[in-house]
């Protein structure tokens, strides 16, 4: 079986699995392979072509989705016989050529960890805040009130920059945190997610690079891939980006911005000290590069003293700050915001106009009413109390259950903490055992741009109550201990120092 493969797919050509699928499709449609003919096994073809078995499996999946082949367990894979009546519909389904960017994004999606587990498994993997804490009734009252007062006005298109009342209350809250914001300098977005996409589009075009922390929020990696941007990792050391590396990276002409989470980092749960923040800004200023500060969990501090954000310390307009209601309230309203300055605000508005004409006026207005009524602050008081209790339960359980050599971070806010396992265990390899033992976690590899194995893992306080947290950590500790007993010592890989 000879198939000419272009192996430069990694650098922008058609992915190899699609080339294999296209070859068989042409053979079938050209009549060289007929109904009932047998295709080579995945193993045979992978060996012949010198590719990974997963690549062949993906090609076969695609062909079977197109209805061209079918696999019969134990017998093999065959060209499909059209069902009665199907032959008369001789038209093959249209298969558009997707842009290389989208194709690469699909590869990114396929590599996402799929969290499947039976009911009752302790969910320590997800950062979706606990629905049992959502202030549903209070929010419904705010929604009813604004709709009866605003009527059809709120069901039209709103301003692209977002509801004026919500921008005003957000600006007030940002000012209280030291950020010089006004209603005019705040642009509402569909969560911090859209903030990330817009901020990247502000500063970079396909082919450019953006500095990111490693580990980092995994959807940023997707956002970069979707825009054809390269990620330049800056390692996290002791819970903060390595400034010596950042300094080297930011002066590079191809690196256009730095994306960072100085407060309640995802996945580490750490916050950087004031001196580090000042030094980081000095480096960005010297390199004349903007900083995208993701302050997505800004309102979730439950312990320790607040440290001024980068945006609050920024005297020069270097920082674009992203905020969100998703983690502190609920994600379903899809409301976040970008606080920026000067021309950047105009550029953001132009980008919003060119993409979605603005978010939902009714939801934004209801959120403004909810915040103004004091409902949001009352909710924050409840949530912070719950998170503090959950964090303490998790720290206690980690201290009493985990074997020697396991370390973890102690967040002062937010929804997550990081556990570093010993002996360079690959945390992704523990996931299946952990699910069997009754707990889910997020393996560290998915927070790395190159998806290399990681001995770290992220645990979440978002969804599980204290007793579940204890049960989950105990189950995880058992799995770790069993693995340590069984695991041969391997060379220590690059670890995240926590
Ligand atoms: C660091 C970080 N930024 C942004 C987001 C996206 O949140 P939103 O729902 O506001 O789009 C998340 C969600 O997990 C996150 O962890």
């Amino acid at each position: 079986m000879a198939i000419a493969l272009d192996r430069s797919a990694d650098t922008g050509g058609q992915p190899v699995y699609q080339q294999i699928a296209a070859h068989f499709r042409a053979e079938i449609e050209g009549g060289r392979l007929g109904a009932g003919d047998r295709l080579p096994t995945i193993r045979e073809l992978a060996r012949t072509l010198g590719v990974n078995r997963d690549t062949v499996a993906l090609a076969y999946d695609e062909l079977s989705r197109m209805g061209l082949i079918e696999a019969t367990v134990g017998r093999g894979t065959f060209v499909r016989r059209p069902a009665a009546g199907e032959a008369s519909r001789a038209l093959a389904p249209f298969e558009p050529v997707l842009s290389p960017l989208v194709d690469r994004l699909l590869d990114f999606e396929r590599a996402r960890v799929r969290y499947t587990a039976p009911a009752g498994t302790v969910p320590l993997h997800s950062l979706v805040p606990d629905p049992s804490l959502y202030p549903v009734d209070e929010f419904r009252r705010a929604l009813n009130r604004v709709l009866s007062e605003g009527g059809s006005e709120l069901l039209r298109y709103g301003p692209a920059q977002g509801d004026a009342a919500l921008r005003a209350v957000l600006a007030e809250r940002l000012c209280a945190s030291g950020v010089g914001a006004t209603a005019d300098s705040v642009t509402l977005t569909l969560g911090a997610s859209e903030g990330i996409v817009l901020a990247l589009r502000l500063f970079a075009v396909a082919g450019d690079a953006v500095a990111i922390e490693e580990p980092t929020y995994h959807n940023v990696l997707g956002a970069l891939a979707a825009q054809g941007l390269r990620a330049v990792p800056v390692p996290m050391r002791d819970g903060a980006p390595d400034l010596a590396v950042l300094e080297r990276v930011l002066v590079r002409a191809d690196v256009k911005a730095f994306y960072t989470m100085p407060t309640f980092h995802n996945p580490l749960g750490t916050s950087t000290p004031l001196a580090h923040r000042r030094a980081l800004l000095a480096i960005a200023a010297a390199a004349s590069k903007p900083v995208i500060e993701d302050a997505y969990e800004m309102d979730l501090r439950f312990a320790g003293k607040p440290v001024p954000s980068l945006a609050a310390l920024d005297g020069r307009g270097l920082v674009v700050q992203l905020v969100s209601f998703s983690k502190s309230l609920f994600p379903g309203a899809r409301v976040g915001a970008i606080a920026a300055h000067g021309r950047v605000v105009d550029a953001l508005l132009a980008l919003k106009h060119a993409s979605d004409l603005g978010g939902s006026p009714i939801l934004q207005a209801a959120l403004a009413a909810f915040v103004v009524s004091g409902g949001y602050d009352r909710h924050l008081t409840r949530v912070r109390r719950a998170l503090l209790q959950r964090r303490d339960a998790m720290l206690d359980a980690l201290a009493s259950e985990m074997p020697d050599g396991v370390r973890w971070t102690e967040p002062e806010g937010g929804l997550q903490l990081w556990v570093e396992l010993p002996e360079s265990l690959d945390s992704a390899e523990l996931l299946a055992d952990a699910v069997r033992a009754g707990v889910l976690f997020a393996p560290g590899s998915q927070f790395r741009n190159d998806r290399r194995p990681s001995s770290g893992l992220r645990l979440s306080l978002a969804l599980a109550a204290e007793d579940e947290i204890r049960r989950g950590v105990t189950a995880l500790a058992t799995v770790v201990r069993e693995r340590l007993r069984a695991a041969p010592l391997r060379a220590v890989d690059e670890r995240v120092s926590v």
Side-chain angles (χ1 to χ4, degrees), residues 107-115 218-219 222 446 451:
D107 285 341
F108 179 84
E109 279 301 311
R110 278 187 207 99
R112 256 183 213 275
V113 179
R114 308 260 176 261
Y115 296 102
H218 63 283
N219 264 4
Q446 69 161 334
R451 308 281 175 136

Side-chain angles (χ1 to χ4, degrees), residues 127 190-193 196 217 259 261 266 294 296 324 326-327 334:
L127 295 192
L190 298 173
S193 301
I196 291 170
Y217 170 44
Y259 168 84
M261 293 163 280
N266 181 10
D294 192 343
Y296 68 116
S324 174
S326 290
K327 307 301 177 187
R334 305 305 299 128

